[in-house]
C-alpha cells in the first residue's frame, strides 16, 4: 500500500491478478481516480480571470462570507480526472449497447460539429428575431421533417425529453377536453407501458387504469373496448410497443377510442422502428412524442439532454404549447405569446426547446434523407429479428413471431440454473457488452429486451450472438459462479445497491483519506 | 449510406437466416393500408456530409453570434466564456455515447461525476443534497412548487413578481392540471428594487401557504436578503423556494441556504454551457436532506462493491417513475446529464477561488456599465443592488431602442415588452446583463449608441 | 472460444482471471480489436460521395484495373475501431508520463481549438498573400517570441521537427563556412548526445567525432579544447544536456569554439528547462532548434507532427533558409525566393512549415506570457529535483548535485537483484505509469531519465515517488517475478521485439482467421 | 496560471524538501551573468483564455478560408472534404497526448493503426512496404533520392521537370552537402503534356544514374504511363522514384507499383488532413520489400507477446538514429504520427469503393471545368490527360489575372510565376485543381470571372 509518500488513490486496496498486487492500486491502463474533493483545492484554479476593475460594490451587503467548499483543479489535473473517469464507462463508441427501448445507435460526429457552429451555439434565446432568422429556419426545418414523417399536421418543438413530451401531449388533450366542457378522469395505460406513461398521467391529475395484454404481448382489444367510456380522457399506447411488437389492432383501437370521445396518445419512443415505413398520422394517433435522442440519434450523453417534440392531429393542434415558429412570406417569426382567441395550453419551458438537439437531428435527417431513414428502420428491424432467430433455440423468446426493432426474451431458459436475469446481464459485462434492458417490460418474467439498432454490422451481431449463446450454455451447464459473481473484469465488482438506498450518501463529506468509504450518516 | 453498415447482400442473407424473403414480412403486423410502399417523396433523399454541412452552415450564417458584437442580453441565459477543455472532455465518446448509468459497474465514470456534481450544487446553493439534474430552471421551479405541496400538503404557492415570466408561465400551465393554486405578483419598475415585492409577500404568507417562490438575483437583476422571508415562511409552516438563474452570482453572494431557503432550484447554463438559443440547459435542484424522499429526478449515491471498495450507483429510485409509476415524485427520465458534466468540469476548473474572481469581475464590470449608462441622458438605472444584471428605464419605448441598436450591431439587453407584452407599465424598461465577455469599449459603444438613439 | 456464430475477435484465446475465461476474449472494458483488414470490406464505405457527373474520361488510358485491397468501414464501425484502439494507449491525459528528453507536459485544449479556426486550418499555402495576412502575422508573432525568448536575432520557421531543425542549423553553418571559403570536415558531438545529432552531422557530409564527458556528466572542457582546430566546423551540444544538467562551462565552450572559427550548434530540445531564465543568445550559441512540441506544448500526437524552428546568431542569419516572413509598413510579406545577393542555403520543405503547430505554440505563449513561461521552467526544474530528492536513498542518481528539468538515475540500485532497467520500466506500467526514458543517455549504465514536467501537481509527484520507492524496495527484496514478467496488467504481455526484427512482418497479408498471427515470410 | 498546478506554498515546501531556499539555487550551474533576474520585459505577461482566443481569432479573421469562396488552388496541397469523425477521433487524448510508441505494451493503439497505415499505403502505391510516415512529400522525396544512392551506390539522380519545384529545391539544398548530383529538367508549357519530359529522361538514363524521379500527376496535372521509364531505369540498374502529391488520384489511376516504380513517395495531406497553410502534412514512403533495410523512418511490425498473442512493435530500428547514430539511414525522429492517423481513419472510412468514387468525382468535375474553361476566349487548356488538376495558358500575365480574380473572391489556381519566378516562359500559365468541393456554379463563376478579366 502506498502510504508514506504516495497519495493513496482510488479505493484503498492494491489490485491483484496472477498473484500480483500493485502498490498503487492501479492496474496498467485501469486507473483509479479519487473525487475532485480529494484532489482539488480551494485556492487553485484552472481558469485565469483578469483582475476585477476597482469599483464600489453594489451587492447590497449580500457578500458571501463563509467558504463554499469548492475544490479547484488546474487544467492538467482536470483533463486527467475526467479522462480517467470516462474510461470507466461503457458506450456505443466502444461496443454494441443493446439497451432495449433506449435505441443506442451510432451518433454521427457531423451532428456534433454542426451543433457547434457559432451561428447555432452562440446565440441567445432572447436576441431580436432579425438576428436569428437562420435559427428559426432550422427549427422550422426539423418541424417540417417531423410532420412529414409522421403525417401529422402540427408539432410542438419545445418539450425537453420523451417524458416531457408526454406531458405536453396530455396537457393538450386536457385543454381540448376542457375546451369542449368535457372533464374526464381516467387515462388508460397498458401494463407493459414505460413508467413515464402512468407517471405523466398522474402528474396531469388523471387516474391511471391499466389495460391488460394478451398472451401475445399486445393490447387486449376486447378488454380495452369494454373499458372505454365517457370518463376516459385518453389512452397512452406505445407503438411499436415495449415488447418490441407492432400493435396489429392499432387502427381499430384508435377508432374505438375516438368513438367514445377520448384521445389517442402514442408513446413514440419506438418510432425508430417504423420511420419512413408507417406514418402514425395514418393510424389515428392524436399526439405522439418523438425522442430525438433515440430515433434521430442526438446523443444520449450519459443521461441527457434529450428532446421530445410532439406531433398533433388536427383535433389537438389548436391546443399545442407556445412558443412556435411561423413562416411568413418574408421571414420566420417566433410566436411567444398567446394572442386573442388562442387555445394553446401555454408554455412548457423557458425559451424555445432543445435547439442544440434540433441541429443534431436536422443533420441526421438531412444526411439520411427519406430513403436512408426508411432503410434505417428496416435495418433496425432486420437486426432484431436476426438476433431473435439466432438465439431462439438457446434463450426463450417471450412471444412468438417476428418482432420489430427489439427482441424480447424472458428468463425461462435460466430456470433451475440458479442464474437470474441480473446475473446473466452482469456476465455480459465481462464478455465486453453492455447488458440489455432487464426486467422491463413488466409483463414478462425476468425480461431481457435487446435492441441492437441498425448501426450494428452483421459481424458485430454475430459476435454478440456467439457470446450470448455461450453464456446461455454455460448457465445451463451449471457454471453458476461465472454469473453470480459477475462482473469479474469491470472496474468495480458488483455494487451494493441496497446499502446505497438504505444508508444514502448523496454528497461528499470531507473524510480523512482519499478513496475511503463514507460512513453513512442518514440511516433509513 | 455512411451510417448503415449493411450491404444489400448482407440484408438478403440475413433475411434468409430469419426465414423470410422480404423485409416487409417482418412488418406483417402493420395494417396493410398504413404500410408505405416507398420512401416519403415530400422529403429529399440522403445527402453527403459536405452537402449537409453547407445547408446547415448557410442557416447558421444567418444568425448573429453573441461573440461577434457588444452583447448585453441575459434574463435567464448568460454568455460566459467556457474553457476549451470543457467541450473537449464532454465529447469523449465514453461520456457522449453512454446513457443513464443503469449498469453501475460499467458506468462509474458517469456516476462519479454525478456524485461530484451533486456535492458541488449542494455546496454552492447552501443545501445538503442536490439531484443529478432537471431539464432546466423553469421545469425545476415547477417541480419545486409541487414538491412543496407534497411536503406541506398545502396547495397555495406565492410567486414573487421577480421570478422569470417564462418560469411562471410553465408553473401556470401545469398548475392548471395539478390543482396547485398560484398567487403571482405583478412586477413594477420600482426605483431601487425593480420586481422586489418582498414586503407584499411577507403580508401574504399564512398557514395555507405551501411555499413562497422568489428569484435572486431576480429577473430585473435586483438582489435582496431573503432571511426575513425565510423566517416568515417557516413561522407559517411554509417553505421558501429560491430560484437562481445566474449561478455565477453564488460565487460572490450569500447562498440561498445561508438565508434560510428550503429548496433551491436554478438554471445551471451559466457554468459550462453555451447559449445554444435556449437549450439544452441544465436544471439544478437542491434541498434540505430531510426532504430527499420527496425530490424529483435521479440521485447518485455512494456504496461499496463486492470487494468493499467505494463505488457509486443511482439510488432512492423508489421515488421514480420506472419503479413507482403513477406514484412517482415526477415523470422525469432522461435529464441533462451531459450539461451537468459540462457544469461540473467548468466548476472544478474554476474552483472556489476562480468562481469568486469570476463573480467579482462580473459584478465590477456591471457596476462600471451601470455608472456609465447612468450618465446617458434619457437613461435611468433602477437597481440599487444587483450582481451582473440591472434594469434601466428609457425615455423612449424600449423595444424600438433595442431594435435600433440591433441594427447597429449592438445587442443591448432585453426590452421588457418582449417578456411582458401585456404589462405596458414595463415597456420602457430594458434588462442588461454584463459578464466577463463585456469589454470597456463594448460599454462605451452601448452608451454612445444609446445617446444617439435616445437623442434623435 | 467463439467460433460457430461469433466473429472470433482479437487475439485468439479467451481472457482469464480469477479462474474465469471469457468466451469473447474481451475482459469487461478491455476490448480486443482486429485489424481493419479483418473487419472492413472493399464494397462498404463510410463516406457518401455524390455520383460523378458523366463525362468522357481524360485520364489518358491510365485507369486502374486491379483492385487496391482497401477495406472500408461504415462510420459506426470506424468510430468504434479507433476508439477501442485509443484505449490501448497510455497518454499524458491519463497520467504522469515521465519520458525524459521528450517533455510530456499537458497540452492545453485551447491550443487545439485555436488551430481549428477556419482562418488558420482552411487556408492554402499558395493563396495570394493578400488573403492570408493574418496567417503571416501569426507566423511573425511566433517568430518574434522565439527571438525574444532566446535573445537571438533571426529565426527559421520552416523545419518540421527537432532533427529537421538540426539539419537546418548545420546547413546554415556549412553555407557560412563555404561562403568564407572554409570547408571543414568534422562536427564534434558529446557521447551523451541524442542520436539525431550525429545522424544529422553525417547526413550533412561531416565526420562525427565524439567528445568525452566528465564523471559529472558534463562536457570535458579540457578534452574539447584540445580537439578544437581548423578542421572543426561545429560542435553540437545539448544544453541543458541529456543528463538533465546545465553545462557550467557553456560560455567558455562557445568562446573556444568561436576562437577556432567553428560554430556552436545547440540542441534546444531541453529549452523548456530554461525558457525565461536564460537566453541562449547570451551564451554564445550560433544556432539552436526549438521543439515546439516539447517546450511549447504542441501535442506529441503519438509521434508527431512536431515543429523545429531554428534561431540564429548574426553570423548565421544571412544563411537561413527560405521562405520567411517580412513585416513591412503596410503588410506582412512572405519571401519565397532567393533574391539577388541572398546567401540563404535554400529551402528545407515545401511551403512554409508547420502552421498548425505555430498556432498552438502562439496560443501557449500568449497564455503563459513572459512570466508564465519562466514559472513553467522553474516548476519543471523544481519537480525534477523534488523527485531526485525523494528517491535518492532508494535509487541511484547518476550524478551528484541538483539537476535541471529531469532526474537521471542509473541501475546500480538494481545490482544483484536480477532486475534490469527494462524490467523495472515494465513494472512501472503495472503501477499505472508510463516508464521513463530507458538506456539513454548512453553515458550512464542502465539509464533511467525521468522528466516530470511542470504540469504535474505535488500530489501526482508524491504518488509517483511512492510507487517507485515501493518498486525499488520490491526489487531489493527479491520479488523478481514482479519485474521480469511485467507488465502483468497491460493490454498485452511483454512483446517479442527480437522476433519482430528477425522475421519482419510490416504489412498485413490476408490470412484465414481474424486475430491470428502472421507467419513471417521474410526471414533474415 | 491555469496550466500550472503548484501554488506558491507548494513551491516553498518542495524547495524545503529538496534542501534549498530559493529556486535559483537549482540553477547554480548557469553562469551568473546569463541568469535572468526577472521575466523578459519585451513580451507581455500571461493572458486569459478569452483574451488569447480574441487575439488569435482576430488574426484568423484576416484570412480567406478555402470553404468561403470558389476555390481552385492545388499544386501539392488539396482541399478535400474530411469527415467530421476523423477530427473527432484524432483528438482523443490517448492518441493526441501520447508519443512515439517506445513502450509497446501500452501503445498498442498507436502501433496497430501504424501497421494498418503502412499496409494501406503499400497497397495504394502498389509497393510491398511503407513506413510509418515522414514529415511531408518534399522531404520524403529527398530521402528517396538518398536511399537510391545507398542502394545503387551511384550519385546521379535525374529529376523530371514535372516535379514540384519546392520538392526540387529541398533536394537541391541537401544535395549540396550530401554530394548527390541532381540533373533537373526545365518545365515547358508543352501543349498536351505540360512538364512531361519523359522522352528527354529516357535519353539521359545510363549506368551512372542512381534514380529517375518523376511526379505523377505532375505539377501541371499531366498524367503519364511510366512503364517505359521504369523499364529503362531497370535496364540501367537505376531505380524509378515516383512522387505522388495528390493521393486521391490513386483511387482511379494505375498505381506507380503497377507501372514499375521502385520507391514511391508522396504527400498524404489530401486524405484526412486539412490545408493548414502548408503544414503539418504527411510524408508517405513506400518501396519494394528488398529495399526495406535502407528505408528511412519508423517501421511498425507484427510480433507476439509472452502469451503468444499478436501484437505490434517498432522494428528494424538498427536503421535509425537512436540506435545507429551517424550510420543511420536518416536523422528523422518525430514524424507525422497524428497526420498518419487522420489519413488512415479517412481512408478506412472511404474504403476501396469510396476512394474510387471520390477519385471518379474529382476527375469528372475537373473534366467539366476544363471543358468549360476551354470555351473562354483567351484561355487554352494545355493538358491532354489529367486527373483533377490541369494547366491553362492565358492571354494575359497569369499573376495579374489570379490577383484580380482574388479581389473578386475567386481563388483561381496557382499562377506559375509564383512557383517559377525566373522561368518567364511559364508566366502565362495557371494550374487549377478541381476537387469534390467545387460546384458547378463555382466553375461558372470562375469562367465568367476569367471572361471579364481577360476581355478588359
Ligand atoms: C417507451 C418509453 N417511453 C418514454 C420514455 C421516456 O423518454 P425520456 O427518457 O426521453 O423522457 C422512454 C425512455 O426511456 C421509453 O423507453
Ligand atoms: C535531445 C534531443 N535532441 C533532438 C531530438 C529530436 O527532436 P525531434 O524528435 O523533434 O526530431 C530529441 C527528441 O526526441 C531530443 O530529445
Amino acid at each position: 500500500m502506498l502510504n508514506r509518500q504516495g497519495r493513496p488513490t482510488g479505493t484503498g486496496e492494491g489490485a491483484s491478478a496472477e498473484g500480483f498486487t500493485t502498490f498503487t492500486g492501479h492496474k496498467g491502463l485501469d486507473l483509479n481516480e479519487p473525487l475532485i474533493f480529494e484532489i482539488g483545492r480551494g485556492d487553485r484554479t484552472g481558469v485565469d480571470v483578469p483582475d476585477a476593475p476597482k469599483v464600489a460594490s453594489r451587492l447590497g451587503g449580500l457578500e458571501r462570507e463563509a467558504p463554499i467548499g469548492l475544490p479547484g483543479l488546474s487544467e492538467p489535473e482536470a483533463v486527467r480526472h475526467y479522462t480517467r473517469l470516462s474510461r470507466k464507462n461503457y458506450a456505443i463508441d466502444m461496443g454494441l449497447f443493446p439497451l432495449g427501448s433506449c435505441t443506442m445507435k451510432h451518433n454521427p460526429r457531423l451532428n456534433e460539429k454542426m451543433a457547434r457552429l457559432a451561428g447555432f451555439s452562440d446565440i441567445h434565446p432572447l436576441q431580436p428575431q432579425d438576428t436569428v432568422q437562420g435559427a428559426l429556419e432550422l427549427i422550422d426545418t426539423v418541424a417540417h421533417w417531423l410532420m412529414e414523417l409522421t403525417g401529422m399536421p402540427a408539432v410542438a418543438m419545445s418539450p425537453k425529453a420523451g417524458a416531457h413530451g408526454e406531458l405536453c401531449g396530455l396537457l393538450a388533450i386536457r385543454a381540448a377536453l376542457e375546451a369542449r366542457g368535457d372533464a374526464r378522469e381516467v387515462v388508460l395505460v397498458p401494463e407493459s407501458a414505460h413508467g413515464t406513461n402512468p407517471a405523466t398521467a398522474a402528474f396531469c391529475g388523471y387516474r391511471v387504469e391499466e389495460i391488460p395484454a394478451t398472451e401475445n404481448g399486445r393490447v387486449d382489444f376486447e378488454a380495452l373496448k369494454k373499458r372505454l367510456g365517457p370518463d376516459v380522457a385518453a389512452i397512452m399506447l406505445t407503438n411499436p410497443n415495449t415488447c418490441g411488437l407492432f400493435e396489429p389492432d392499432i387502427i381499430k383501437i384508435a377508432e374505438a377510442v375516438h368513438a367514445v370521445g377520448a384521445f389517442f396518445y402514442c408513446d413514440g419512443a419506438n418510432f425508430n422502428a417504423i420511420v419512413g415505413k408507417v406514418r402514425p398520422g395514418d393510424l389515428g394517433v392524436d399526439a405522439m412524442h418523438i425522442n430525438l435522442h433515440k430515433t434521430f440519434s442526438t446523443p444520449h450523453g450519459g443521461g441527457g439532454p434529450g428532446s421530445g417534440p410532439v406531433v398533433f392531429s388536427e383535433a389537438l393542434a389548436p391546443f399545442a404549447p407556445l412558443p412556435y415558429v411561423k413562416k411568413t412570406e418574408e421571414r420566420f417569426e417566433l410566436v411567444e405569446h398567446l394572442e386573442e382567441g388562442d387555445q394553446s395550453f401555454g408554455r412548457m419551458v423557458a425559451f424555445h426547446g432543445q435547439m442544440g438537439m434540433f441541429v443534431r437531428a436536422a443533420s441526421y435527417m438531412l444526411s439520411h434523407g427519406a430513403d436512408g431513414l426508411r432503410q434505417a428502420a428496416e435495418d433496425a428491424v432486420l437486426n432484431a429479428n436476426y438476433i431473435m432467430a439466432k438465439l431462439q433455440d438457446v434463450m426463450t423468446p417471450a412471444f412468438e413471431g417476428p418482432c420489430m426493432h427489439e427482441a424480447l426474451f424472458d428468463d425461462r431458459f435460466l430456470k433451475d440454473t440458479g442464474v437470474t436475469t441480473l446475473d446473466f446481464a452482469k456476465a455480459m459485462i465481462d464478455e465486453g457488452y453492455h447488458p440489455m434492458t432487464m426486467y422491463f417490460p413488466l409483463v414478462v418474467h425476468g425480461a431481457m429486451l435487446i435492441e441492437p439498432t441498425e448501426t450494428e454490422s452483421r459481424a458485430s451481431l454475430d459476435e454478440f450472438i456467439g457470446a450470448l449463446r455461450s453464456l446461455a450454455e454455460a448457465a445451463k451447464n451449471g457454471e453458476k459462479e461465472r454469473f453470480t459473481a459477475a462482473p469479474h473484469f469491470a472496474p468495480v465488482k458488483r455494487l451494493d445497491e441496497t446499502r446505497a438506498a438504505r444508508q444514502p450518501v448523496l454528497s461528499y463529506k470531507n473524510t480523512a483519506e482519499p478513496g475511503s468509504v463514507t460512513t453513512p450518516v442518514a440511516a433509513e | 449510406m455512411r451510417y448503415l453498415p449493411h450491404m444489400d447482400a448482407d440484408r438478403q442473407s440475413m433475411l434468409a437466416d430469419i426465414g423470410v424473403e422480404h423485409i416487409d414480412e417482418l412488418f406483417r403486423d402493420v395494417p396493410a393500408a398504413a404500410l408505405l410502399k416507398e420512401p416519403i417523396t415530400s422529403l429529399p433523399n440522403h445527402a453527403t456530409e459536405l452537402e449537409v454541412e453547407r445547408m446547415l452552415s448557410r442557416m447558421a450564417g444567418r444568425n448573429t453570434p453573441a461573440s461577434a458584437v457588444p452583447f448585453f442580453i441575459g434574463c435567464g441565459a448568460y454568455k460566459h466564456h467556457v474553457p476549451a477543455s470543457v467541450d473537449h472532455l464532454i465529447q469523449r465518446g465514453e461520456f457522449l455515447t453512454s446513457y443513464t448509468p443503469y449498469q453501475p459497474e460499467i458506468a462509474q465514470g458517469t456516476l462519479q461525476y454525478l456524485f461530484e456534481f451533486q456535492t458541488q450544487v449542494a455546496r454552492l446553493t447552501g443545501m445538503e443534497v442536490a439531484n443529478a439534474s432537471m431539464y432546466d430552471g423553469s421545469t425545476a421551479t415547477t417541480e419545486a412548487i409541487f414538491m412543496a405541496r407534497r411536503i406541506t400538503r398545502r396547495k397555495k404557492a406565492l410567486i414573487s413578481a421577480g421570478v422569470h415570466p417564462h418560469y411562471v408561465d410553465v408553473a401556470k400551465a401545469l398548475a392548471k392540471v395539478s390543482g396547485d393554486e398560484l398567487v403571482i405578483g405583478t412586477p413594477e419598475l420600482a426605483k431601487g428594487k425593480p420586481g422586489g415585492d418582498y414586503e407584499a409577500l411577507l403580508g401574504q404568507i399564512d398557514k395555507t401557504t405551501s411555499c413562497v417562490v422568489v428569484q435572486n438575483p431576480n429577473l430585473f437583476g435586483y438582489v435582496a436578503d431573503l432571511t426575513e422571508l425565510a423566517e416568515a415562511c417557516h413561522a407559517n409552516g411554509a417553505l421558501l423556494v429560491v430560484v437562481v438563474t445566474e449561478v455565477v452570482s453564488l460565487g460572490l453572494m450569500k447562498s440561498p441556504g445561508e438565508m434560510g431557503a428550503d429548496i433551491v432550484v436554478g438554471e445551471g447554463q451559466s457554468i459550462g454551457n453555451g447559449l445554444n438559443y435556449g437549450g439544452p440547459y441544465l436544471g439544478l435542484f437542491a434541498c434540505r436532506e430531510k426532504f430527499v424522499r420527496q425530490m424529483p429526478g435521479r440521485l447518485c449515491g455512494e456504496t461499496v462493491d463486492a470487494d468493499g471498495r467505494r463505488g457509486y450507483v443511482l439510488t432512492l429510485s423508489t421515488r421514480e417513475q420506472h419503479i413507482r409509476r403513477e406514484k412517482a415524485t415526477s415523470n422525469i427520465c432522461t435529464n441533462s446529464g451531459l450539461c451537468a458534466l459540462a457544469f461540473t468540469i467548468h466548476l472544478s476548473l474554476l474552483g472556489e477561488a476562480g468562481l469568486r474572481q469570476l463573480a467579482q469581475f462580473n459584478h465590477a464590470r456591471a457596476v462600471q456599465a451601470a455608472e456609465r449608462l447612468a450618465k446617458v441622458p434619457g437613461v435611468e438605472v433602477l437597481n440599487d443592488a444587483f450582481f451582473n444584471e440591472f434594469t434601466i428605464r428609457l425615455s423612449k419605448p424600449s423595444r424600438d431602442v433595442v431594435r435600433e441598436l440591433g441594427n447597429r450591431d449592438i445587442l443591448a439587453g432585453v426590452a421588457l415588452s418582449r417578456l411582458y407584452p401585456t404589462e405596458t407599465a414595463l415597456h420602457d424598461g430594458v434588462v442588461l446583463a454584463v459578464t466577463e465577455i463585456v469589454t470597456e469599449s463594448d460599454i462605451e459603444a452601448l452608451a454612445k449608441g444609446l445617446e444617439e438613439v435616445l437623442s434623435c
Side-chain angles (χ1 to χ4, degrees), chain B residues 167-194:
Chain B
Y167 289 32
V168 175
D169 285 348
V170 173
K172 271 158 70 178
L174 270 164
K176 255 191 275 178
V177 303
S178 66
D180 290 75
E181 181 192 344
L182 308 181
V183 182
I184 302 163
T186 304
E188 284 168 37
L189 290 189
K191 173 81 188 145
K193 40 182 185 174

Side-chain angles (χ1 to χ4, degrees), chain A residues 8-25:
Chain A
T9 54
T11 45
E13 297 304 304
S16 104
E18 309 174 35
F20 285 99
T21 299
T22 65
F23 297 108
T24 54

Side-chain angles (χ1 to χ4, degrees), chain A residues 46 64 68-69 73 86 89 122-123 134 148 218 277 336 367 371 379 383 426 458 496 518 524, chain B residues 2 6 11 13 24 29 36 42 46 66-67 92 103 105 110 123 252 293 302-303 348-349 352 418:
Chain A
R64 184 194 275 272
I68 311 173
L73 305 175
S86 75
N89 273 4
D122 192 29
I123 54 175
E148 292 295 318
R218 273 80 170 187
K277 295 289 288 184
E336 294 179 290
S367 292
D371 55 341
D379 286 357
N383 284 359
K426 298 298 181 192
R458 181 177 180 163
D496 186 344
T518 308
E524 201 175 38
Chain B
R2 58 191 182 268
H6 294 331
R11 295 186 179 107
S13 86
D24 280 350
D29 287 334
L36 302 175
S42 55
H46 66 277
S67 306
R92 280 188 60 84
Q103 296 288 344
E105 294 86 1
T110 298
R123 291 181 179 190
L252 198 58
R293 277 164 209 279
E302 186 189 304
T303 188
S348 62
L349 280 165
E352 182 130 357
R418 167 108 186 233

Side-chain angles (χ1 to χ4, degrees), chain B residues 36-57:
Chain B
L36 302 175
K37 302 291 168 294
E38 52 181 43
I40 291 169
T41 51
S42 55
L43 295 169
N45 278 341
H46 66 277
T48 68
E49 259 206 38
L50 181 58
E51 287 162 347
V52 175
E53 212 172 311
R54 283 177 167 163
M55 286 188 268
L56 294 175
S57 299

Side-chain angles (χ1 to χ4, degrees), chain B residues 30-196:
Chain B
V30 178
L35 192 67
L36 302 175
K37 302 291 168 294
E38 52 181 43
I40 291 169
T41 51
S42 55
L43 295 169
N45 278 341
H46 66 277
T48 68
E49 259 206 38
L50 181 58
E51 287 162 347
V52 175
E53 212 172 311
R54 283 177 167 163
M55 286 188 268
L56 294 175
S57 299
R58 187 193 54 75
M59 290 188 210
R62 297 184 59 210
N63 309 315
T64 308
S67 306
V69 293
F71 188 85
F72 299 89
I73 306 180
C75 285
Y78 301 89
K79 168 74 186 167
H80 289 287
H81 177 76
V82 179
S85 53
V86 174
D87 194 46
H88 177 85
L89 289 165
I90 70 167
Q91 286 192 70
R92 280 188 60 84
E94 294 92 330
F95 287 135
L96 188 75
T97 74
S98 63
Y99 197 26
T100 310
Y102 295 122
Q103 296 288 344
E105 294 86 1
I106 47 173
Q108 286 297 298
T110 298
L111 286 158
Q112 184 170 334
Y113 85 65
L114 287 177
F115 187 77
E116 294 171 347
F117 169 80
Q118 291 176 177
T119 306
Q120 286 173 316
V121 173
R123 291 181 179 190
L124 203 52
T125 53
M127 295 285 103
E128 284 144 15
V129 289
N131 76 9
S133 86
M134 309 296 289
Y135 303 134
D136 77 342
S138 70
T139 56
T141 302
T142 300
E143 293 272 14
I145 295 168
F146 289 7
M147 174 167 153
R149 183 230 304 145
R150 291 194 298 272
I151 292 169
T152 61
R153 296 170 195 273
R154 301 175 185 174
K155 294 204 148 187
K156 190 165 75 191
L158 309 180
I159 303 188
S160 161
V163 176
H164 195 297
H166 286 181
Y167 289 32
V168 175
D169 285 348
V170 173
K172 271 158 70 178
L174 270 164
K176 255 191 275 178
V177 303
S178 66
D180 290 75
E181 181 192 344
L182 308 181
V183 182
I184 302 163
T186 304
E188 284 168 37
L189 290 189
K191 173 81 188 145
K193 40 182 185 174

Side-chain angles (χ1 to χ4, degrees), chain A residues 164-178 200 203-206 265 287 312 316 319-321 343-348, chain B residues 146 169-170 172-178:
Chain A
H164 206 221
E166 296 173 29
L167 195 55
C168 177
L170 287 206
L171 288 173
I173 287 169
R174 208 173 143 138
L177 287 168
E178 281 171 5
T200 304
F203 211 70
C204 290
Y206 287 112
Y265 185 88
F312 286 112
L316 290 180
F319 305 94
Q343 293 181 288
S344 163
F345 71 75
R347 182 178 269 282
M348 294 215 63
Chain B
F146 289 7
D169 285 348
V170 173
K172 271 158 70 178
L174 270 164
K176 255 191 275 178
V177 303
S178 66

Side-chain angles (χ1 to χ4, degrees), chain A residues 223-488:
Chain A
L224 168 66
K225 231 172 39 189
K226 241 183 253 150
R227 179 58 194 84
L228 284 172
D231 59 335
V232 174
I235 180 173
M236 294 183 86
L237 209 67
T238 310
N239 186 46
N241 70 23
T242 59
C243 302
L245 303 171
F246 197 93
E247 293 286 354
D249 293 332
I250 185 103
I251 294 182
K252 284 196 284 175
I253 292 171
E255 284 164 359
V257 166
H258 291 154
V260 299
F263 289 97
F264 177 5
Y265 185 88
C266 182
D267 179 331
N270 295 338
F271 186 47
N272 61 303
I274 58 169
V275 62
K277 295 289 288 184
V278 181
R279 299 188 307 169
D282 296 339
L283 304 174
V285 166
D286 289 300
M288 183 180 90
H289 75 260
I290 298 163
N291 307 61
L292 297 187
H293 47 299
K294 297 179 180 177
T295 302
F296 298 106
S297 180
T298 72
H300 283 74
S307 181
V310 178
V311 286
F312 286 112
S313 63
E314 291 290 359
L316 290 180
F319 305 94
L322 295 169
Y324 58 91
V325 176
K326 206 163 76 183
K327 192 170 170 179
T328 69
E329 294 249 314
E330 317 85 61
R331 68 200 291 264
F332 294 93
E333 215 168 285
L334 180 70
V335 180
E336 294 179 290
H337 296 283
L338 287 180
E339 281 158 29
E340 199 47 42
D342 271 358
Q343 293 181 288
S344 163
F345 71 75
R347 182 178 269 282
M348 294 215 63
V349 77
F351 313 126
H352 346 297
Q354 305 288 67
M355 181 69 176
M357 305 297 119
F358 301 157
V359 180
R360 291 170 173 89
S363 171
Y364 182 88
M365 289 167 172
L366 293 167
S367 292
H368 281 76
D371 55 341
L373 291 174
R374 180 180 164 97
Q375 187 67 62
E378 289 182 353
D379 286 357
V381 170
L382 178 70
N383 284 359
N385 279 285
Y386 184 70
I387 284 177
M388 182 71 98
K390 294 279 184 171
L391 288 178
Q392 59 187 358
D393 57 332
V394 292
M395 290 171 64
T396 39
F399 303 107
E400 249 182 61
C403 56
M404 295 299 287
H405 62 300
E406 41 199 7
L408 179 61
F409 297 91
D410 59 28
D411 61 2
R412 282 173 296 151
F413 75 100
L414 294 177
K415 195 157 172 276
D416 302 329
T417 60
V419 174
T420 63
T421 290
L422 179 71
D423 298 330
F424 193 81
K426 298 298 181 192
M428 286 172 66
I429 292 176
D430 286 330
E431 300 293 334
Y433 291 103
H434 195 285
M436 65 285 273
T437 292
M438 313 174 299
Y439 301 111
F440 174 83
L442 306 179
V443 287
V444 165
H445 197 270
M448 306 187 191
L449 185 65
I450 298 179
E451 181 178 12
T453 87
E454 71 277 10
T455 57
E456 294 302 323
S457 69
R458 181 177 180 163
S460 165
L461 297 174
D462 284 339
E463 190 194 349
F464 176 73
I465 288 162
L468 259 59
R469 291 190 72 85
S470 302
L471 285 180
E473 281 159 17
K476 286 172 194 162
N477 290 342
E479 291 186 38
K480 203 174 144 192
E481 266 280 288
R482 172 187 292 280
F483 298 90
T484 53
H488 303 273

